[in-house]
C-alpha cells in the first residue's frame, strides 16, 4: 500500500488550484439517470470516488466517458438496462445511495444495496427512504438491499419534513421530485453549496425548482428532463484544507478559484485563530496575520455552519495554537479517529464523547501515522508540514478518494512531500 512522506519546517509560497467539488460531482453524476439525453459535467475532479460512481452508472447501462484531461465527464443514460446497484460497488462508497431517487423516478423501480463508506459513525439512510415514501414509493428492506417501487403512474409530489438536516437525503429527494407528478416541498432541507449546484444543474435540464440554498425547497414535477452541460462548483473542502496549509507551515498561499462565500463560518474561525484571508478575482490568499496562532473553539454544523469535513484539518491547526481549543463534533458521532494519530506526533488532545480538547504545544514531531478516513488522512499531512522531522502517512488510498494530486499541489508551493509507491 502506498504511503506519503512529509518533512516539515518549510514555509509555503505560491498558488494551489482548487478542483471541482467531489461531493457536488457525486450527486450531479446520478442526475444523468433522470434523462435520456446527455449530461456533460465540466470541472470534474480526478478522484477515485468519481471513478467508482462512473462504474456504478455504467453497471446500470449509462454511458460514461473516461474523465478527459479537460476535466469533462460526458454521460448518457439513453439505454438504461439495469435497476440494481450492487453491493460490490456500493460498499466502496456511501454516495452510491444517490442513484436510488433518480432510478425510481425514471424507471419506477430500483434495487440498491445499503451503503458502506467512511467509518465515521452509523450513517443510516432512513431519511432518504422516508422522503421517497412521502412521494408514494413502496420500500422493502431485505438481504442488505432496498427494493423500491413507485406507484402506478410514477412518483407523486409529497411533503417532506426532515427531522434532521441531511445532505444526501435532500439530494435524493430533490432528484426524485423533478419527475414526480405535482409539487414536492422539502422542509428542513440541507443548504450546502453542493445542493445549490445540483438544483442549478437540474434546472438547466428543465426541472422546476425554487428555494435551493434555503431550508425549504419546492419542486414542481415535469414529464421529462433534457440534456445539459454544467460546470461543477469549486470544492470548498479542498479549499479549506489548503487554506490551513500556510497557517500551519508558515508562508502565504493563494487558492486559485477560492470563494469566501463557500466557507464563511470556517473563514471566521481561522481569522479568530490568527489568519489573514484576502479575496480577490483570482481566489483567496491566506497567511498568518502576525506571528502566533491562538486557540479557538469550533462546533461543526450543517451549512452555513462550520463543516464537519474540515474538523480534522482544523484540529491539526489547533495542535500548535497557543491555549486550549474545544472542538465539538455535532454531525457524526465517531469522527475523532485522527486524534490518537496526532497525539503520536506530540499533540495534546483529550477526547470525551463528541468533544475534543486540544491544548496547544510548541511543535509537533514527525512520526509514522495511519490514515483512518478521507479527511483524517489529509489532517495528518497538514500536521506533518509543521512537524519537526519526517511524518509517514500510511493507508493513503483514503486520500485518493477526495484529493486530486495532493503531492503535486503541495510540492508546487514548496512543501517537502513525496508519495512512496508500495513496490518501491
Ligand atoms: C455528505 C457528504 C459528507 C459530509 C456530510 C455532512 C457527500 C458525498 N458526502 O454526507 O462528506 O460529511 O454530508 O456535511 O456529499 N443521517 C441519518 N439518516 C439518514 C441520513 C443521514 O440519521 O438517512 C445522519 C447522519 O448519520 C449524520 C447526519 O445525518 O449524522 C448528516 O448526514 P448527511 O448530511 O446525510 O451526510 P451525507 O449526505 O452522508
Amino acid at each position: 500500500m502506498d504511503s506519503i512522506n512529509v518533512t516539515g519546517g518549510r514555509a509555503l509560497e505560491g498558488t494551489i488550484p482548487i478542483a471541482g467539488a467531489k461531493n457536488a460531482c457525486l450527486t450531479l453524476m446520478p442526475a444523468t439517470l433522470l434523462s435520456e439525453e446527455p449530461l456533460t459535467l465540466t470541472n470534474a475532479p480526478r478522484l477515485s470516488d468519481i471513478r467508482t460512481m462512473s462504474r456504478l452508472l455504467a453497471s446500470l447501462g449509462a454511458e460514461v466517458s473516461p474523465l478527459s484531461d479537460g476535466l469533462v465527464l460526458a454521460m448518457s443514460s439513453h439505454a438504461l438496462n439495469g435497476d440494481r446497484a450492487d453491493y460490490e460497488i456500493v460498499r466502496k462508497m456511501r454516495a452510491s445511495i444517490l442513484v436510488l431517487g433518480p432510478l425510481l423516478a425514471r424507471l419506477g423501480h430500483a434495487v440498491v444495496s445499503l451503503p458502506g463508506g467512511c467509518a465515521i459513525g452509523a450513517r443510516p439512510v432512513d431519511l432518504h427512504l422516508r422522503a421517497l415514501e412521502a412521494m408514494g414509493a413502496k420500500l422493502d428492506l431485505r438481504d442488505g438491499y432496498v427494493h423500491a417501487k413507485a406507484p402506478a403512474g410514477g412518483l407523486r409530489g409529497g411533503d417532506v419534513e426532515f427531522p434532521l438536516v441531511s445532505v444526501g437525503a435532500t439530494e435524493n429527494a430533490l432528484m426524485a421530485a423533478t419527475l414526480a407528478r405535482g409539487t414536492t416541498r422539502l422542509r428542513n432541507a440541507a443548504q450546502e453549496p453542493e445542493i445549490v449546484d445540483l438544483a442549478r444543474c437540474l434546472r438547466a435540464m428543465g426541472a422546476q425548482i425554487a428555494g435551493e440554498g434555503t431550508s425549504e425547497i419546492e419542486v414542481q414535477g415535469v414529464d421529462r428532463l433534457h440534456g445539459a452541460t454544467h460546470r461543477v462548483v469549486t470544492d470548498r473542502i479542498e479549499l479549506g484544507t489548503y487554506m490551513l496549509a500556510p497557517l500551519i507551515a508558515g508562508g502565504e498561499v493563494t487558492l486559485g478559484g477560492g470563494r469566501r462565500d463557500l466557507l464563511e463560518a470556517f473563514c471566521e474561525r481561522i481569522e479568530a485563530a490568527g489568519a489573514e484571508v484576502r479575496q480577490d478575482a483570482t481566489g483567496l490568499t491566506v497567511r498568518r496575520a502576525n506571528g502566533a496562532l491562538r486557540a479557538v473553539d469550533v462546533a461543526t454544523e450543517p451549512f452555513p455552519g462550520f463543516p464537519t469535513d474540515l474538523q480534522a484539518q482544523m484540529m491539526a491547526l489547533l495542535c500548535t495554537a497557543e491555549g486550549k481549543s474545544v472542538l465539538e463534533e455535532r454531525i457524526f458521532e465517531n469522527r475523532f479517529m485522527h486524534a490518537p494519530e496526532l497525539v503520536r506526533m506530540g499533540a495534546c488532545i483529550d477526547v470525551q464523547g463528541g468533544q475534543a480538547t486540544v491544548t496547544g504545544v510548541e511543535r509537533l514531531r514527525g512520526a509514522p501515522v495511519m490514515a483512518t478516513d478521507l479527511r483524517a488522512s489529509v489532517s495528518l499531512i497538514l500536521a506533518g508540514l509543521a512537524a519537526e522531522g519526517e511524518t509517514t502517512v500510511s493507508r493513503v488510498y483514503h486520500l485518493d478518494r477526495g484529493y486530486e494530486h495532493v503531492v503535486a499541489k503541495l510540492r508546487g508551493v514548496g512543501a517537502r512531500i513525496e508519495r512512496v509507491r508500495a513496490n518501491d
Side-chain angles (χ1 to χ4, degrees):
M1 252 181 269
D2 291 4
S3 55
I4 287 183
N5 285 347
V6 194
T7 306
R10 191 182 276 182
L12 309 178
E13 300 288 340
T15 298
I16 299 179
I18 303 300
K22 168 183 86 81
N23 286 352
C25 207
L26 288 177
T27 185
L28 292 164
M29 291 175 75
T32 187
L33 300 171
L34 292 164
S35 173
E36 290 182 0
E37 295 180 19
L39 174 63
T40 301
L41 300 176
T42 62
N43 197 35
R46 289 160 289 193
L47 299 170
S48 64
D49 270 8
I50 301 303
R51 288 190 285 276
T52 304
M53 183 58 86
S54 295
R55 280 221 316 284
L56 175 54
L57 296 175
S59 76
L60 299 166
E63 287 169 14
V64 186
S65 70
L67 187 57
S68 73
D69 272 353
L71 311 181
V72 175
L73 202 51
M75 298 171 290
S76 173
S77 301
H78 66 276
L80 282 191
N81 56 19
D83 74 344
R84 183 181 167 91
D86 216 68
Y87 176 65
E88 263 324 292
I89 301 181
V90 176
R91 72 185 174 87
K92 296 202 166 84
M93 187 181 67
R94 183 183 157 78
S96 308
I97 190 75
L98 295 171
V99 301
L100 178 59
L103 281 177
L104 200 50
R106 168 96 178 269
L107 302 175
H109 48 88
V111 182
V112 177
S113 168
L114 291 164
C118 277
I120 54 173
R123 303 186 80 174
V125 292
D126 55 317
L127 303 176
H128 299 241
L129 305 186
R130 261 207 254 174
L132 296 171
E133 275 175 335
M135 292 180 221
K138 289 275 174 281
L139 306 173
D140 185 14
L141 300 188
R142 57 192 144 85
D143 324 321
Y145 282 77
V146 184
H147 298 252
K149 267 205 165 48
L155 293 175
R156 52 171 191 267
D159 274 331
V160 181
E161 167 113 37
F162 293 106
L164 58 94
V165 176
S166 162
V167 175
T170 302
E171 291 166 344
N172 236 333
L174 178 57
M175 287 189 279
T178 58
L179 292 179
R181 279 170 298 127
T183 308
T184 297
R185 274 184 205 86
L186 306 178
R187 296 197 171 85
N188 200 23
Q191 304 174 38
E192 269 66 3
E194 293 75 24
I195 306 272
V196 174
D197 204 40
L198 173 63
R200 284 198 183 134
C201 176
L202 293 170
R203 203 179 286 124
M205 295 169 75
Q208 292 189 18
I209 300 169
E212 75 275 11
T214 74
S215 63
E216 189 165 330
I217 303 178
E218 192 173 293
V219 186
Q220 197 66 49
V222 296
D223 288 340
R224 56 183 297 279
L225 295 180
H226 52 72
T229 297
H230 176 83
R231 183 182 162 83
V232 180
V233 68
T234 298
D235 195 317
R236 66 196 164 96
I237 305 303
E238 190 195 29
L239 172 63
T241 300
Y242 290 130
M243 286 172 77
L244 291 168
L247 300 178
I248 291 180
E252 177 171 312
V253 171
T254 297
L255 298 312
R259 279 168 37 200
R260 188 177 173 117
D261 64 310
L262 295 173
L263 276 180
E264 191 54 51
F266 170 80
C267 288
E268 187 273 314
R269 286 290 75 195
I270 61 171
E271 282 167 344
E276 182 185 296
V277 181
R278 290 195 316 273
Q279 171 90 66
D280 68 20
T282 60
L284 289 173
T285 300
V286 184
R287 63 171 184 179
R288 287 191 197 166
N290 42 31
L293 296 167
R294 294 180 294 277
V296 289
D297 293 343
V298 173
T300 62
E301 310 259 13
F303 193 84
F306 190 101
T308 173
D309 286 352
L310 285 171
Q311 178 259 108
Q313 301 90 312
M314 188 71 178
M315 184 183 283
L317 175 81
L318 295 173
C319 285
T320 51
E322 208 178 304
K324 230 179 229 229
S325 305
V326 177
L327 287 100
E328 202 184 324
E329 175 53 60
R330 296 186 182 164
I331 309 287
F332 294 113
E333 71 269 29
N334 185 21
R335 209 176 194 182
F336 286 131
M337 287 173 303
H338 42 285
E341 302 299 310
L342 291 168
V343 168
R344 289 173 51 73
M345 299 176 69
C348 177
I349 305 169
D350 177 36
V351 176
Q352 301 287 340
Q355 201 162 296
T357 304
V358 182
T359 307
V361 295
E362 205 158 304
R363 65 174 54 81
L364 297 175
R365 292 181 305 277
V369 288
M370 207 169 68
T372 48
D373 70 45
L374 168 55
R375 308 303 171 184
S377 53
V378 83
S379 77
L380 299 172
I381 289 178
L382 288 176
L385 292 174
E388 211 173 79
E390 189 173 86
T391 299
T392 302
V393 185
S394 56
R395 297 204 178 166
V396 292
Y397 54 86
H398 289 294
L399 203 66
D400 299 331
R401 296 186 49 203
Y403 290 90
E404 61 167 42
H405 308 319
V406 64
V407 168
K409 285 187 179 187
L410 285 170
R411 277 171 98 109
V413 292
R416 279 177 292 185
I417 178 168
E418 60 177 356
R419 185 165 183 134
V420 182
R421 303 277 163 195
N423 52 1
D424 280 3

